[in-house]
Amino acid sequence: MATTTTTSPFVFLKCHTSPPCHTETLFTRTSYKAIKPQSQTDDVREEQVVVVGAGIADLATALSLHRLGVLSLVLEQAESLRTGGTSLTLFKNGWMVLDAIGAANDLRTQFLEIQGMVVKSVDGRELRAFNFKQEDQSQEVRAVERRVLLETLASQLPRDSVQYSSQLQRIEASPNGDTLLELVDGSKLLARIVIECDGIRSPIAKWMGFPEPKYVGLASYPDAQYFGPRVNYIYGRRLRAGFVPVSPTKVYWFICFNSPSPGPTITDSLELKKQAKELVKNWPSELLNMVDSTPDDTVIKTPLVDRWLWPAISPASAGRVVVVGDAWHPMTPNLGQGACCALEDSVVLAKKLARAINV
């Protein structure tokens, strides 16, 4: 569970560009072009399961249900998969879920297995180092590109499982327990079960009474990156950075610092890169070189937000509406478990729903 702090960290991340994911499956591939919903301003379309959002937890939930013989419709407000962002670290619990839903092998072949972790001070002194498998022989750690993960999950769903350009405008409970969803284009869906996985700013989480969230890069080496297969952390005063190899030619990195407010929105990637280098100008040269090796137009600044759920954890469901992943229990990235726990949510929820539906 995430914790709150009195200051708000921000993260610099680098977006990456990689060849499209090509995975062969036994299922019809999903088209990544926009699938416009039919005009249904007067009619209400009935669906058994509707998943709101097409992020990691959303697609994993839909795929988990599909593997168990339950069809679902995924609503995504964007015109295509939102594949922005950089990489995320998956530990063994995340890989167990991907194995269970048949998506792991396609991903394993594309990303390096990380062997361990090293923590350093700003002057380069090694403070702590360990090997993951020495601590836990069954551990598996890989940094995975978010775009590739999303495309791999979506590609294994039946065609037209994801309906794009479908932004939720209103949600209403019907007398018989079903849920009426009205989209911005005026079309309406009557869903027996609604699953909301659309992040911490989930409109359904707000409808359920959850509190508002509060504010709390991949470098490219054309020949080969020279870092060992381990997570690297560097800690300074009110500032920390980290990097981890993703593939033989790519390294994911971030710089996280405290600030009392989100500050102005900056879209100039050159300015963001300049700020990133200024933050760590006196740190080890390998980090500065990594920033220099990052394409100028791929550095982004993301304010981290959190939702405090204690002392009593907010229930994940209201009637037949349930929230999953960050929509329910957002996590700051300190332990690298946000994506893993969202994947776990999806497979556990799918198993219970499939059992209830098929009774």
Side-chain angles (χ1 to χ4, degrees):
M1 185 59 59
T3 57
T4 55
T5 58
T6 56
T7 55
S8 305
F10 293 79
V11 181
F12 280 98
L13 299 175
K14 175 204 170 294
C15 294
H16 49 80
T17 55
S18 303
C21 173
H22 299 291
T23 54
E24 298 301 326
T25 71
L26 298 177
F27 303 92
T28 304
R29 288 185 175 278
T30 299
S31 169
Y32 296 122
K33 295 182 180 179
I35 302 172
K36 298 287 185 180
Q38 298 177 353
S39 177
Q40 299 178 41
T41 54
D42 297 322
D43 300 330
V44 177
R45 193 168 97 209
E46 294 185 5
E47 295 285 346
Q48 186 173 48
V49 179
V50 172
V51 181
V52 181
I56 294 171
D58 317 73
L59 295 175
T61 300
L63 183 55
S64 298
L65 289 169
H66 172 58
R67 299 298 194 211
L68 295 170
V70 178
L71 295 178
S72 63
L73 176 67
V74 180
L75 301 179
E76 169 55 46
Q77 65 178 344
E79 295 182 354
S80 61
L81 283 179
R82 289 181 287 177
T83 54
T86 51
S87 296
L88 46 94
T89 305
L90 296 181
F91 292 80
K92 69 176 183 180
N93 53 330
W95 287 106
M96 288 174 65
V97 172
L98 293 172
D99 275 322
I101 62 178
N105 289 337
D106 288 335
L107 293 164
R108 281 193 177 98
T109 59
Q110 301 181 65
F111 302 105
L112 298 175
E113 182 169 6
I114 306 304
Q115 302 299 320
M117 177 182 292
V118 60
V119 180
K120 295 181 179 180
S121 62
V122 295
D123 59 6
R125 290 182 297 113
E126 187 174 293
L127 304 176
R128 176 82 165 89
F130 63 91
N131 183 285
F132 289 128
K133 291 192 182 296
Q134 288 179 346
E135 302 293 329
D136 179 359
Q137 187 60 39
S138 65
Q139 186 60 270
E140 179 179 7
V141 185
R142 298 175 195 267
V144 175
E145 294 182 32
R146 183 177 180 274
R147 175 188 59 82
V148 177
L149 175 57
L150 288 175
E151 291 180 351
T152 299
L153 294 173
S155 71
Q156 299 191 27
L157 287 169
R159 182 174 294 277
D160 296 348
S161 292
V162 184
Q163 179 176 291
Y164 297 102
S165 301
S166 300
Q167 183 177 355
L168 181 64
Q169 178 168 276
R170 187 172 65 89
I171 179 172
E172 180 182 320
S174 65
N176 67 348
D178 292 342
T179 304
L180 180 66
L181 303 173
E182 182 176 346
L183 307 184
V184 170
D185 69 349
S187 60
K188 298 178 181 179
L189 299 170
L190 188 63
R192 183 181 178 193
I193 297 168
V194 176
I195 302 172
E196 166 62 51
C197 325
D198 201 17
I200 190 170
R201 300 188 185 281
S202 157
I204 291 182
K206 182 177 181 179
W207 174 77
M208 289 173 59
F210 280 33
E212 286 293 316
K214 296 183 178 180
Y215 285 95
V216 281
L218 282 181
S220 179
Y221 297 83
D223 297 324
Q225 53 90 1
Y226 51 87
F227 301 100
R230 61 183 184 179
V231 179
N232 296 265
Y233 279 114
I234 305 172
Y235 283 85
R237 184 180 295 275
R238 300 175 64 83
L239 181 68
R240 64 187 177 92
F243 60 90
V244 56
V246 175
S247 72
T249 59
K250 294 178 181 177
V251 178
Y252 160 70
W253 61 271
F254 68 86
I255 300 171
C256 190
F257 65 97
N258 290 332
S259 176
S261 69
T265 299
I266 300 176
T267 57
D268 185 343
S269 55
L270 289 176
E271 177 62 24
L272 291 176
K273 189 173 181 179
K274 179 181 177 181
Q275 287 186 15
K277 293 177 66 175
E278 181 65 23
L279 285 168
V280 295
K281 62 182 179 181
N282 296 319
W283 286 33
S285 60
E286 60 184 5
L287 184 59
L288 288 169
N289 293 336
M290 196 172 300
V291 177
D292 283 332
S293 299
T294 301
D296 292 338
D297 60 350
T298 57
V299 180
I300 62 173
K301 179 182 179 182
T302 304
L304 300 181
V305 292
D306 196 9
R307 178 185 291 121
W308 187 240
L309 297 178
W310 297 100
I313 298 178
S314 301
S317 62
R320 296 180 189 168
V321 178
V322 60
V323 286
V324 177
D326 282 349
W328 180 29
H329 51 68
M331 297 181 179
T332 52
N334 304 63
L335 297 178
Q337 277 293 312
C340 291
C341 287
L343 288 169
E344 285 192 86
D345 285 356
S346 69
V347 73
V348 171
L349 175 62
K351 286 182 178 179
K352 292 184 177 296
L353 280 180
R355 190 179 304 124
I357 290 172
N358 294 325
V359 168

Short mmCIF file of all heavy atoms in Angstrom, two decimals, residues 208-211 307-317 323 328:
data_model
loop_
_atom_site.label_atom_id
_atom_site.label_comp_id
_atom_site.label_asym_id
_atom_site.label_seq_id
_atom_site.Cartn_x
_atom_site.Cartn_y
_atom_site.Cartn_z
N MET A 208 -17.83 6.30 -6.92
CA MET A 208 -17.96 5.41 -5.76
C MET A 208 -17.62 6.11 -4.44
O MET A 208 -17.76 5.53 -3.38
CB MET A 208 -17.06 4.19 -5.94
CG MET A 208 -17.56 3.23 -7.02
SD MET A 208 -16.39 1.88 -7.37
CE MET A 208 -16.24 1.11 -5.75
N GLY A 209 -17.15 7.36 -4.52
CA GLY A 209 -16.88 8.12 -3.31
C GLY A 209 -15.44 8.10 -2.84
O GLY A 209 -15.14 8.53 -1.73
N PHE A 210 -14.51 7.62 -3.69
CA PHE A 210 -13.11 7.62 -3.31
C PHE A 210 -12.61 9.06 -3.21
O PHE A 210 -13.04 9.93 -3.97
CB PHE A 210 -12.28 6.88 -4.35
CG PHE A 210 -12.33 5.37 -4.21
CD1 PHE A 210 -13.48 4.73 -3.75
CD2 PHE A 210 -11.24 4.59 -4.53
CE1 PHE A 210 -13.54 3.36 -3.63
CE2 PHE A 210 -11.28 3.21 -4.41
CZ PHE A 210 -12.43 2.60 -3.96
N PRO A 211 -11.66 9.33 -2.30
CA PRO A 211 -11.11 10.68 -2.20
C PRO A 211 -10.31 11.05 -3.43
O PRO A 211 -9.80 10.19 -4.15
CB PRO A 211 -10.21 10.60 -0.95
CG PRO A 211 -9.86 9.14 -0.83
CD PRO A 211 -11.08 8.41 -1.31
N ARG A 307 -3.35 8.32 -3.32
CA ARG A 307 -4.64 8.40 -2.64
C ARG A 307 -4.50 7.65 -1.32
O ARG A 307 -4.14 6.49 -1.29
CB ARG A 307 -5.74 7.76 -3.49
CG ARG A 307 -7.10 7.78 -2.80
CD ARG A 307 -8.17 7.04 -3.58
NE ARG A 307 -8.53 7.74 -4.81
CZ ARG A 307 -8.40 7.21 -6.02
NH1 ARG A 307 -7.91 5.98 -6.17
NH2 ARG A 307 -8.75 7.88 -7.09
N TRP A 308 -4.80 8.33 -0.23
CA TRP A 308 -4.63 7.74 1.09
C TRP A 308 -5.88 6.94 1.45
O TRP A 308 -6.97 7.49 1.56
CB TRP A 308 -4.38 8.84 2.12
CG TRP A 308 -4.04 8.38 3.49
CD1 TRP A 308 -4.71 8.65 4.63
CD2 TRP A 308 -2.92 7.58 3.87
NE1 TRP A 308 -4.09 8.07 5.70
CE2 TRP A 308 -2.99 7.40 5.26
CE3 TRP A 308 -1.87 6.98 3.16
CZ2 TRP A 308 -2.05 6.65 5.97
CZ3 TRP A 308 -0.94 6.23 3.86
CH2 TRP A 308 -1.03 6.08 5.25
N LEU A 309 -5.74 5.64 1.66
CA LEU A 309 -6.88 4.76 1.91
C LEU A 309 -7.01 4.35 3.37
O LEU A 309 -8.02 3.77 3.76
CB LEU A 309 -6.76 3.51 1.03
CG LEU A 309 -6.79 3.74 -0.48
CD1 LEU A 309 -6.61 2.42 -1.20
CD2 LEU A 309 -8.08 4.40 -0.90
N TRP A 310 -5.99 4.55 4.14
CA TRP A 310 -6.06 4.16 5.54
C TRP A 310 -6.82 5.20 6.35
O TRP A 310 -6.91 6.34 5.94
CB TRP A 310 -4.65 3.97 6.09
CG TRP A 310 -3.91 2.87 5.42
CD1 TRP A 310 -2.98 2.99 4.43
CD2 TRP A 310 -4.06 1.47 5.64
NE1 TRP A 310 -2.53 1.77 4.03
CE2 TRP A 310 -3.17 0.81 4.75
CE3 TRP A 310 -4.84 0.69 6.50
CZ2 TRP A 310 -3.05 -0.57 4.71
CZ3 TRP A 310 -4.71 -0.68 6.45
CH2 TRP A 310 -3.84 -1.30 5.58
N PRO A 311 -7.30 4.88 7.59
CA PRO A 311 -7.11 3.63 8.33
C PRO A 311 -8.00 2.49 7.87
O PRO A 311 -7.75 1.34 8.19
CB PRO A 311 -7.44 4.02 9.78
CG PRO A 311 -8.45 5.11 9.61
CD PRO A 311 -8.03 5.88 8.39
N ALA A 312 -9.05 2.79 7.11
CA ALA A 312 -9.92 1.73 6.61
C ALA A 312 -9.80 1.70 5.09
O ALA A 312 -9.98 2.73 4.44
CB ALA A 312 -11.37 1.98 7.02
N ILE A 313 -9.46 0.55 4.53
CA ILE A 313 -9.34 0.42 3.09
C ILE A 313 -10.71 0.57 2.44
O ILE A 313 -11.67 -0.09 2.82
CB ILE A 313 -8.72 -0.94 2.72
CG1 ILE A 313 -7.31 -1.06 3.31
CG2 ILE A 313 -8.66 -1.11 1.21
CD1 ILE A 313 -6.65 -2.38 3.04
N SER A 314 -10.80 1.46 1.47
CA SER A 314 -12.07 1.65 0.77
C SER A 314 -12.44 0.36 0.04
O SER A 314 -11.59 -0.29 -0.57
CB SER A 314 -11.95 2.79 -0.23
OG SER A 314 -11.59 3.99 0.42
N PRO A 315 -13.70 -0.05 0.09
CA PRO A 315 -14.11 -1.27 -0.61
C PRO A 315 -13.90 -1.13 -2.10
O PRO A 315 -14.08 -0.05 -2.67
CB PRO A 315 -15.59 -1.41 -0.25
CG PRO A 315 -16.03 -0.02 0.11
CD PRO A 315 -14.83 0.62 0.75
N ALA A 316 -13.54 -2.24 -2.75
CA ALA A 316 -13.23 -2.21 -4.18
C ALA A 316 -14.46 -2.24 -5.05
O ALA A 316 -14.37 -2.04 -6.26
CB ALA A 316 -12.32 -3.39 -4.54
N SER A 317 -15.63 -2.49 -4.46
CA SER A 317 -16.82 -2.62 -5.29
C SER A 317 -18.01 -1.88 -4.69
O SER A 317 -18.05 -1.62 -3.49
CB SER A 317 -17.20 -4.10 -5.46
OG SER A 317 -17.50 -4.68 -4.20
N VAL A 323 -13.47 -1.64 -8.95
CA VAL A 323 -12.27 -0.94 -9.43
C VAL A 323 -11.05 -1.83 -9.19
O VAL A 323 -11.01 -2.61 -8.25
CB VAL A 323 -12.09 0.42 -8.72
CG1 VAL A 323 -13.08 1.44 -9.25
CG2 VAL A 323 -12.23 0.28 -7.21
N TRP A 328 -8.03 1.70 -7.59
CA TRP A 328 -8.37 1.30 -6.22
C TRP A 328 -7.22 1.60 -5.25
O TRP A 328 -7.39 2.29 -4.26
CB TRP A 328 -8.69 -0.19 -6.18
CG TRP A 328 -9.05 -0.72 -4.81
CD1 TRP A 328 -9.63 -0.04 -3.79
CD2 TRP A 328 -8.85 -2.05 -4.33
NE1 TRP A 328 -9.82 -0.85 -2.69
CE2 TRP A 328 -9.34 -2.10 -3.01
CE3 TRP A 328 -8.32 -3.21 -4.90
CZ2 TRP A 328 -9.30 -3.27 -2.23
CZ3 TRP A 328 -8.28 -4.36 -4.13
CH2 TRP A 328 -8.76 -4.39 -2.83
#
